[in-house]
Amino acid sequence: MTARRRYITTTIPYVNARPHLGFALELVQADTLARHHRQRGEQVRLLSGTDDNSLKNVLAAEAASVDVQSFVDRNADAFAALRGPLALSFDDFIRTSSDPRHRVGVERLWRQCAASGDLYRKEYEGLYCVGCEQFYTPDELAEGRCGEHGTEPQLVAEENWFFRLSRYADRLHQLISSGDLCIEPAARRNEVLALIERGLHDFSVSRSHSRARGWGIPVPDDPSQVVYVWWDALGNYVTSLGYGTGDSTYDQWWETSERRVHLVGKGVVRFHAVYWPAMLLSAGLPLPTDILVHDYLTVDGRKISKSAGTTVDPAALAARYGTDALRWWLLRDVPRVGDADFTPDRLTTRADADFAGGLGNLVHRIVTMVHRFRGGIVPASAPVNPGELSLVDVCREAPGRVDAALADFDFRRAIHAVWEIVEEANRCIDATRPWELARGERRGNGEAAKQLDTVLGTLVTACRVLADELRPFIPDAATRITGQLTTVERLLPAAQPLFPRLHEDTLPA
């Protein structure tokens, strides 16, 4: 039977500055989903990239007195380089300013929507936030300021191309409310439905060549305009697959994939859950099946943002504290709904408690006991006594519980399902007291010897299951755990510390 196909994408960030921890959250979430579904036997394609064709990139390059392409190239390279520090497994990485696949696909999408009668040109005046690359009506502003960036939008008047978004309001409402277009969590789905119910207005999909400083993709057959950056950027989900070029990759991963999954931050839900599906409906293309929305990371209560200057460098964090610790905090402590405040203290406290004091200690204890009581040879499997049934059950149930949690886009719940193996294994050790069974064996108690074999074999098996289920979350650590539990010439390797304790000067006393 052919394996299910799942296409998973991140948003593509502006490259007006180097990457920050807020986007690393989305990358790690997407990577975890991709690794998980690959491990379950699905075919998976994971895409990330950068949004190069933005006015804010142009303005940042001008402020830095650097030509735009060089500026964009430098920052885009920093985003692509996160593959190593974050242990990412993306299959493709697209750059909208330089990838030859992109422009032809954007032009094709434009022409398809034009053929549907959904593009028209008109004069317009409105309030434009460069940070959002979006027009706002006065009632959408908070005391005259953009709610996302806290800045006053510019008054812009020009003639642009518009897309007939209003034509698709009823269809979008039906698709979202029925679950055919799944938006998780439910609070975000309800926000989108409320937005549609208030009425959708056609939106501008081009900018004048002069205001865009000549940067971007020219509108087909109208060189006086460039394609609006969000139209351009949203297209990457299909242009990266060769849409418009006849590449069969597009058919394989967009037309016929069982799931087309977008991960997005809450600030760009409108674009992904309203604008993008409407564009696809106009062009006659399939829609995404899932839009998974995460909230923000904050520092001292302020959103981590390049524009706001509240940035935390994920590569530097990984270099200082390790990839495992960084991924673990992002997945273990960031809630499904609600912002999460980051501090190094929280990262190191979580890592020391769960890794050095929890997971690492458990594996070290078990391997040490196998060497001490069985010379490093893992006992052959034996019938399980009632005292070990709970651990066996937890291990058997963990994969299904992880599947269910990740289907709900709930990483914390998924990790809790895995972590129950650690907790139950520790309870098993405390209840069976293998050292006392070994003492009984030395006194000639054959039943104690059999029970010790059962306990040790069960514990090693549990830790192997644990490593497998942890692999999508912390792949490097899972590989080390598997190595510690893999026999060489029938013997387990000698017990080694798997996780260093992390130290931070500002840890609370």
Side-chain angles (χ1 to χ4, degrees):
M1 189 171 83
T2 303
R4 286 167 55 91
R5 285 192 295 275
R6 186 177 299 259
Y7 179 42
I8 301 174
T9 69
T10 72
T11 55
I12 54 172
Y14 299 129
V15 289
N16 56 313
R18 294 176 62 82
H20 62 65
L21 188 61
F23 185 59
L25 169 65
E26 188 173 302
L27 288 171
V28 170
Q29 288 179 336
D31 180 75
T32 299
L33 289 178
R35 289 178 181 273
H36 169 76
H37 289 292
R38 290 188 193 113
Q39 189 163 302
R40 295 297 193 253
E42 294 187 26
Q43 296 181 42
V44 175
R45 184 180 181 91
L46 175 59
L47 169 72
S48 191
T50 55
D51 183 355
D52 301 354
N53 296 329
S54 166
L55 177 58
K56 64 194 301 182
N57 296 338
V58 175
L59 297 176
E62 290 177 352
S65 300
V66 179
D67 73 272
V68 180
Q69 190 65 62
S70 298
F71 181 85
V72 164
D73 289 346
R74 182 182 65 200
N75 285 335
D77 286 346
F79 279 91
L82 289 176
R83 175 191 286 270
L86 298 181
L88 304 175
S89 62
F90 47 75
D91 301 287
D92 194 5
F93 190 93
I94 187 167
R95 290 193 47 208
T96 59
S97 69
S98 58
D99 195 306
R101 297 171 294 179
H102 187 62
R103 177 169 174 170
V104 64
V106 169
E107 291 173 342
R108 172 67 173 170
L109 185 63
W110 183 279
R111 294 185 189 282
Q112 287 292 100
C113 293
S116 296
D118 287 330
L119 297 178
Y120 63 95
R121 188 163 177 161
K122 76 168 187 176
E123 293 183 355
Y124 183 77
E125 181 178 280
L127 298 169
Y128 191 74
C129 173
V130 175
C132 295
E133 294 280 13
Q134 178 184 349
F135 281 103
Y136 285 103
T137 59
D139 62 354
E140 292 178 308
L141 302 174
E143 298 181 350
R145 294 179 178 272
C146 165
E148 187 76 10
H149 295 93
T151 56
E152 294 183 3
Q154 304 170 1
L155 183 63
V156 173
E158 63 184 18
E159 186 176 356
N160 297 144
W161 287 92
F162 276 70
F163 175 74
R164 298 186 195 277
L165 180 65
S166 55
R167 176 179 287 181
Y168 296 97
D170 291 343
R171 180 68 176 133
L172 289 172
H173 194 282
Q174 186 274 327
L175 287 165
I176 295 167
S177 58
S178 69
D180 289 339
L181 174 52
C182 175
I183 302 174
E184 287 289 345
R188 300 302 172 203
R189 177 174 67 251
N190 293 337
E191 288 176 6
V192 174
L193 289 173
L195 173 66
I196 295 171
E197 289 162 3
R198 288 195 298 270
L200 296 181
H201 303 286
D202 297 352
F203 69 99
S204 171
V205 292
S206 71
R207 302 292 180 262
S208 68
H209 184 274
S210 59
R211 187 157 69 88
R213 312 291 208 275
W215 184 254
I217 297 174
V219 167
D221 306 317
D222 186 357
S224 71
Q225 300 272 306
V226 299
V227 175
Y228 172 42
V229 65
W230 270 104
W231 180 289
D232 175 330
L234 289 165
N236 93 93
Y237 302 126
V238 293
T239 65
S240 61
L241 302 173
Y243 170 73
T245 69
D247 191 332
S248 62
T249 305
Y250 166 77
D251 292 328
Q252 179 184 8
W253 290 104
W254 192 263
E255 290 282 347
T256 61
S257 273
E258 283 80 4
R259 310 303 294 183
R260 296 173 291 275
V261 183
H262 295 330
L263 274 74
V264 308
K266 66 180 180 180
V268 296
V269 174
R270 175 197 302 242
F271 303 101
H272 288 82
V274 179
Y275 291 9
W276 175 231
M279 291 160 58
L280 292 169
L281 289 171
S282 176
L285 305 181
L287 272 57
T289 58
D290 303 85
I291 298 174
L292 307 181
V293 186
H294 62 83
D295 285 0
Y296 289 149
L297 295 184
T298 60
V299 173
D300 296 326
R302 298 174 61 207
K303 175 194 170 189
I304 293 178
S305 164
K306 299 189 295 292
S307 300
T310 51
T311 61
V312 178
D313 184 346
L317 284 177
R320 181 167 186 179
Y321 302 114
T323 298
D324 296 323
L326 179 54
R327 284 180 65 112
W328 190 248
W329 186 85
L330 291 171
L331 298 167
R332 172 84 144 137
D333 280 13
V334 175
R336 182 170 181 255
V337 177
D339 297 342
D341 204 59
F342 171 80
T343 68
D345 291 356
R346 292 188 175 116
L347 185 152
T348 56
T349 298
R350 172 59 74 185
D352 283 346
D354 285 359
F355 288 170
L359 181 58
N361 183 58
L362 174 67
V363 175
H364 193 275
R365 288 177 78 189
I366 292 169
V367 173
T368 297
M369 287 190 291
V370 171
H371 276 276
R372 181 178 176 188
F373 303 138
R374 288 296 178 264
I377 297 175
V378 180
S381 58
V384 178
N385 292 330
E388 287 76 59
L389 276 176
S390 294
L391 179 56
V392 172
D393 288 343
V394 167
C395 289
R396 182 168 51 242
E397 294 168 2
R401 295 179 63 198
V402 171
D403 291 349
L406 292 183
D408 288 340
F409 193 47
D410 194 334
F411 296 94
R412 292 176 80 177
R413 199 173 95 221
I415 284 179
H416 179 72
V418 180
W419 202 252
E420 284 198 347
I421 299 175
V422 175
E423 294 171 342
E424 194 59 42
N426 280 319
R427 282 193 286 269
C428 176
I429 294 171
D430 293 341
T432 59
R433 303 177 72 82
W435 51 92
E436 291 187 359
L437 294 174
R439 192 176 302 122
E441 179 183 33
R442 289 194 295 272
R443 292 170 180 165
N445 185 333
E447 189 59 35
K450 291 179 182 179
Q451 190 174 359
L452 181 59
D453 281 345
T454 297
V455 169
L456 293 177
T458 301
L459 288 169
V460 170
T461 298
C463 284
R464 288 170 176 164
V465 172
L466 181 62
D468 284 344
E469 293 304 315
L470 284 173
R471 195 171 305 281
F473 304 94
I474 42 173
D476 295 346
T479 297
R480 294 198 302 277
I481 296 169
T482 298
Q484 183 73 89
L485 299 168
T486 301
T487 58
V488 178
E489 296 181 353
R490 299 184 60 217
L491 299 179
L492 287 182
Q496 300 289 334
L498 292 173
F499 301 97
R501 283 200 172 272
L502 302 178
H503 301 284
E504 174 63 32
D505 294 340
T506 57
L507 280 174

